[in-house]
Amino acid sequence: MTAPLVILQPGNSVVTDLGRTKGPAFGLPVNGALDQFSAKAANILAGNPDNSPLLELTALDFRMRATTDLLIAVTGAPLDLSVGGRTCPQWEPVSVRAGETVAVRGIHTGLRAYIAVHGSFTVPSLLGSCAPDTVVGFGLKLEEGTELPTRAATAPITQPHFGLPLFRLGLTRPAFSTHPVIDVTDGPDVDEFGDTADLLFTSQYTVSPRSNHIGLRLGGALPERQLSSEVLSRGVPVGAIEVPSRDELLVLHRGRGVTAGYPVLAVVTSRSLDTLAQARPGHTITFRKTTVAQATATHRAACLELDRLRSTIQTVFGLLGIGAGERWHELSPASGS
């Protein structure tokens, strides 16, 4: 364990990971980072296992101070990142010297950003996850003055020649939009909506300010269930699009309860769930029908993208000596010959 990070301006931030996979068996939601792709990418870029604890920032500005040399990566929605007053890039490893302040400002187009630190943090866990759970009151919500113990110090990495970028990693960054298109597959109750089910694909829906990590509430034309029989409570997946008997669609996200009793019209694909995690109140959503096979192919493509990034980072960090051994710039002429 090394010196801690000190939170100077928490904004709306938490420590999380990819979720509590053991939770549903005990009646707890899976929770975890809402934009899973951005969270995984942040940890990979920082040289961590995918599921390491990291910071999730929602909407508001954030500042923290390092008390030792660190390596970080910031992903997610577009924003302004500075380290020690220097403008730094997102979606790349970034060195932070002891005493420097990391500032995230102006998150825009999307809603959430992720900060991973090489070596990650030492934080409490529940059922193998540090993801916050509002139902049981578990989780570390950051406040001004909170100290996060880090696990590794990393000497600064610099590019001394001509101001050239240090890394060219070839990662295709996700597109962010105020009018995202969301892919869905048919839900188990789609036939119960008759011809009105097509409203989901011919209408636009507006994200409500009442949305949160449990579910997005969307205003717009509401398909109508043609049956009057009661829907029994049953298990529902993350991404289920429910049609309550009111004027909003409800898209269940990672904080959803494991059972529900509204009819499920459609299910958002895993990759589009990441897109929905970045939807702000007032953004307009368009739904697009896809097949399970197409959704699976898209998910696999994203996994391959992250696999390639992981392989590149492991090679680069290995050459730089990050995590083990001497760094290349510390080698003596004799040992390098």
Side-chain angles (χ1 to χ4, degrees):
M1 188 180 298
T2 66
L5 284 174
V6 180
I7 305 302
L8 304 178
Q9 181 182 2
N12 186 9
S13 58
V14 296
V15 180
T16 191
D17 52 28
L18 296 182
R20 186 165 292 104
T21 56
K22 297 178 182 179
F26 296 91
L28 297 177
V30 66
N31 281 307
L34 266 69
D35 182 348
Q36 294 266 297
F37 183 90
S38 292
K40 290 176 184 177
N43 266 325
I44 292 170
L45 288 165
N48 296 333
D50 292 14
N51 198 35
S52 298
L54 78 170
L55 307 182
E56 181 179 67
L57 320 180
T58 301
L60 304 181
D61 293 351
F62 173 89
R63 290 184 300 119
M64 65 184 188
R65 184 178 67 250
T67 58
T68 189
D69 293 342
L70 297 174
L71 187 70
I72 69 170
V74 180
T75 62
L79 50 81
D80 296 320
L81 171 65
S82 66
V83 175
R86 307 181 306 277
T87 299
C88 294
Q90 282 182 264
W91 298 88
E92 287 185 17
V94 173
S95 288
V96 182
R97 297 177 185 272
E100 289 187 325
T101 295
V102 178
V104 170
R105 298 185 177 90
I107 297 174
H108 62 91
T109 311
L111 185 63
R112 293 179 169 88
Y114 296 87
I115 303 178
V117 175
H118 178 64
S120 191
F121 315 109
T122 301
V123 291
S125 67
L126 172 67
L127 294 176
S129 172
C130 70
D133 190 310
T134 56
V135 174
V136 298
F138 174 82
L140 184 59
K141 185 173 177 63
L142 303 179
E143 299 176 348
E144 184 178 346
T146 298
E147 295 187 354
L148 281 177
T150 58
R151 296 175 181 165
T154 307
I157 307 167
T158 60
Q159 164 57 274
H161 301 295
F162 309 113
L164 295 174
L166 180 59
F167 298 102
R168 296 183 185 274
L169 300 173
L171 174 66
T172 302
R173 302 183 185 186
F176 293 87
S177 172
T178 59
H179 307 284
V181 177
I182 303 301
D183 288 328
V184 301
T185 58
D186 283 340
D189 306 317
V190 62
D191 291 339
E192 298 182 9
F193 290 87
D195 294 339
T196 71
D198 288 339
L199 283 173
L200 186 67
F201 308 108
T202 58
S203 306
Q204 285 192 336
Y205 296 88
T206 303
V207 179
S208 165
R210 298 170 60 214
S211 301
N212 55 26
H213 68 289
I214 296 174
L216 277 79
R217 298 181 180 274
L218 306 176
L222 213 63
E224 296 183 13
R225 185 169 180 257
Q226 306 299 299
L227 304 179
S228 57
S229 57
E230 183 141 356
V231 178
L232 298 178
S233 291
R234 66 271 171 86
V236 289
V238 174
I241 299 179
E242 295 186 330
V243 186
S245 54
R246 59 183 82 177
D247 58 351
E248 291 178 322
L249 286 180
L250 181 60
V251 185
L252 302 183
H253 220 300
R254 299 183 65 82
R256 63 69 172 115
V258 295
T259 61
Y262 292 124
V264 176
L265 173 62
V267 180
V268 177
T269 66
S270 60
R271 194 65 190 91
S272 281
L273 273 172
D274 296 335
T275 303
L276 276 182
Q278 298 291 352
R280 283 176 170 264
H283 284 187
T284 55
I285 302 294
T286 300
F287 290 103
R288 177 174 62 193
K289 182 180 287 191
T290 189
T291 65
V292 172
Q294 290 169 328
T296 301
T298 301
H299 175 70
R300 286 176 176 169
C303 291
L304 287 173
E305 178 88 0
L306 292 176
D307 285 344
R308 286 191 291 267
L309 177 64
R310 187 180 298 106
S311 178
T312 301
I313 287 291
Q314 288 173 349
T315 300
V316 172
F317 280 17
L319 292 171
L320 294 173
I322 296 176
E326 292 181 299
R327 294 170 178 82
W328 68 270
H329 52 73
E330 296 171 344
L331 296 177
S332 66
S335 63
S337 59

